[in-house]
Amino acid sequence: MDKLIIRGGHSLNGVIDISGAKNAALPELCAALLTAQPMVLRNVPKLQDVSTMLKLIRNMGVSCSHEEDGTVHLNAGALNNPEAPYEMVKTMRASVLALGPLLARFGEARVSLPGGCAIGSRPVDQHIKGLQAMGAQIAVEHGYMVASLANGRTRLKGARIATDMVTVTGTENFLMAAALAEGETVLENAAQEPEIPDLAEMLIRMGAKIEGHGTSRIHIQGVESLNGCDHAVVADRIEAGTFMCAVAATGGDVVLKHARGDHMDAVIDKLRDAGASIEVGADFVRVQASGRMKAQSFRTTEYPGFPTDMQAQFMALNCIAEGTSKVTETIFENRFMHVNELVRLGANIQIDGKVSVVQGVPKLSGATVMATDLRASASLVIAGLVAEGETIVDRIYHLDRGYDRMEAKLRNVGAQIERSK
């Protein structure tokens, strides 16, 4: 297994290109299943999860290629196998996003229950209840969701869907399914993350009729068929936020090209309060930091609040900040697994249920640590960048699921980091 070797103590200076968002690219690859016409997706990041999704839809009969510049050409005209087998999706929870499009276009689907990081339960019951309201019959058998249309229907039907909780993948599944359903669908309590309106804008380019995306109530008027389109994936706000925390921790001056500051208000506000200087432009974010930051308490919540996907990275910054902070995790019950590894590097952290109390220390010391999930991996990299001596981060296949060549981007701005196979 690959690992990262980091020699800490170097400030970061230069320019980093922010890649397309994993959490937008995955549903948008699934949206290509909705049409028999060719599709072009641009700015698709080179990630393990993306490779897994491409392998999955190829297995369904979709023609697709991923070029070096991030362009993906797709054609689902010959799709003949509406199944997502466990062997292909056991490492990726986004497999559930195939369910809605397959049902909408073909009237049937067999999709494995999703895998992914072990950070907490990710129930699919909201997906099932919503699609059942649209006329689907869904049974869970032997680890699979087996779906078809009820009562001899040939299309899903529009419905009002009010989920018990805010669910990003649920909102995306319903958006894609409703695009081809008969009549109007109204999504109540819809997720508002920037990846949702990006998917909606792509569907609109394909001929879908959608209003209200980016709010908690979305209206979709179903159409009989969708056409192909050319769409660029929105920039990854979590990748950008991760590098912002890295600069705040190490010091330096970095311009993040293509970053969307308007998608990161909660993180930017906390970093400014911590003492970082941040300039937001039309197509960039510039981060400058020097000296020790001030510890910041925060609570994770749904967008536009502080994202759970940035909790571990900001905690790494708090570890070497001045003062004490409280980090409250409200989204996933097991998302403090990075704490023990940060403590190995010299951090002072106490966990009490959903709250971690972080007492900042003047310095961290390099050690061998193990990545436990995707964002935990990023927090250990940030900690390694400021730790004295050498830090080795093991099991970085988690990192490769969500960061496009992170070590190369960091090396380009002055970090001493290399991958060892």
Side-chain angles (χ1 to χ4, degrees):
M1 262 183 282
D2 288 10
K3 56 189 174 185
L4 289 179
I5 302 171
I6 307 169
R7 294 169 187 86
H10 303 275
S11 63
L12 305 179
N13 296 276
V15 177
I16 294 176
D17 283 326
I18 298 302
S19 301
K22 172 180 89 92
N23 291 337
L26 295 177
E28 287 164 8
L29 288 170
C30 286
L33 303 174
L34 290 166
T35 178
Q37 295 185 18
M39 294 279 301
V40 179
L41 265 182
R42 304 185 189 278
N43 200 32
V44 178
K46 292 274 189 179
L47 305 173
Q48 190 57 50
D49 275 9
V50 169
S51 297
T52 301
M53 185 64 80
L54 289 172
K55 191 183 300 182
L56 171 64
I57 61 178
R58 280 194 195 102
N59 189 63
M60 295 179 184
V62 178
S63 166
C64 51
S65 63
H66 195 176
E67 298 172 8
E68 276 304 313
D69 67 353
T71 302
V72 174
H73 294 271
L74 303 131
N75 191 326
L79 193 154
N80 57 10
N81 180 29
E83 179 176 353
Y86 171 75
E87 294 75 19
M88 303 190 77
V89 301
K90 60 187 176 182
T91 63
M92 181 183 66
R93 75 179 188 275
S95 58
V96 72
L97 291 168
L99 185 60
L102 290 174
L103 256 177
R105 184 169 162 212
F106 297 99
E108 61 176 320
R110 187 171 184 267
V111 177
S112 171
L113 292 170
C117 291
I119 57 175
S121 62
R122 303 164 186 265
V124 297
D125 62 313
Q126 301 299 308
H127 297 252
I128 292 173
K129 284 165 60 177
L131 292 170
Q132 285 174 334
M134 298 176 73
Q137 293 181 141
I138 304 176
V140 177
E141 303 172 353
H142 308 295
Y144 281 80
M145 293 173 285
V146 181
S148 60
L149 297 184
N151 303 321
R153 298 188 63 89
T154 57
R155 291 172 66 188
L156 290 170
K157 64 182 181 186
R160 177 182 174 273
I161 301 173
T163 53
D164 298 338
M165 64 188 77
V166 176
T167 162
V168 175
T169 52
T171 301
E172 291 165 343
N173 238 337
F174 304 145
L175 259 180
M176 293 186 283
L180 288 180
E182 188 176 356
E184 183 182 59
T185 298
V186 179
L187 305 183
E188 306 279 5
N189 201 26
Q192 301 175 55
E193 276 75 358
E195 295 78 23
I196 302 284
D198 197 57
L199 170 63
E201 289 298 326
M202 174 179 158
L203 291 169
I204 290 168
R205 288 193 181 98
M206 295 170 69
K209 297 180 179 178
I210 303 172
E211 294 180 349
H213 43 295
T215 75
S216 62
R217 178 180 290 172
I218 306 176
H219 291 258
I220 308 105
Q221 185 67 44
V223 297
E224 288 193 7
S225 64
L226 294 171
N227 48 260
C229 78
D230 190 317
H231 177 76
V233 178
V234 69
D236 194 325
R237 62 195 170 96
I238 304 302
E239 183 192 33
T242 299
F243 287 129
M244 290 166 71
C245 285
V247 177
T250 63
D253 183 351
V254 172
V255 173
L256 304 172
K257 284 179 62 178
H258 313 306
R260 290 283 300 268
D262 57 329
H263 291 170
M264 300 185 289
D265 286 339
V267 174
I268 288 173
D269 286 348
K270 285 294 178 186
L271 285 170
R272 282 177 171 153
D273 290 345
S277 172
I278 299 174
E279 177 188 356
V280 177
D283 189 42
F284 73 91
V285 173
R286 183 181 182 184
V287 190
Q288 296 172 286
S290 61
R292 199 173 170 195
M293 297 290 106
K294 298 180 183 68
Q296 299 297 312
S297 296
F298 61 90
R299 178 186 185 90
T300 65
T301 187
E302 293 86 3
Y303 188 86
F306 196 97
T308 181
D309 278 354
M310 280 300 304
Q311 178 254 105
Q313 301 92 305
F314 210 104
M315 186 187 288
L317 172 61
N318 275 340
C319 286
I320 46 90
E322 188 176 348
T324 302
S325 58
K326 287 185 178 180
V327 176
T328 306
E329 173 59 53
T330 71
I331 307 297
F332 291 117
E333 64 270 24
N334 294 334
R335 205 155 205 180
F336 284 148
M337 291 191 292
H338 48 281
V339 167
N340 287 339
E341 303 305 299
L342 290 171
V343 169
R344 283 180 54 78
L345 295 168
N348 183 351
I349 309 172
Q350 301 295 325
I351 300 177
D352 182 9
K354 294 182 177 181
V355 179
S356 280
V357 179
V358 185
Q359 175 65 55
V361 296
K363 64 178 183 178
L364 299 175
S365 300
T368 298
V369 291
M370 182 178 69
T372 53
D373 62 72
L374 169 54
R375 305 307 173 185
S377 309
S379 75
L380 299 178
V381 171
I382 293 171
L385 291 173
V386 296
E388 291 183 349
E390 184 176 89
T391 298
I392 297 174
V393 183
D394 266 331
R395 293 176 63 179
I396 59 164
Y397 61 84
H398 289 294
L399 195 74
D400 294 336
R401 287 186 47 232
Y403 290 93
D404 188 348
R405 296 161 289 191
M406 176 187 260
E407 74 277 9
K409 292 183 179 183
L410 286 170
R411 223 172 17 247
N412 286 341
V413 293
Q416 291 200 7
I417 179 171
E418 60 189 53
R419 180 181 291 252
S420 171
K421 292 185 178 294

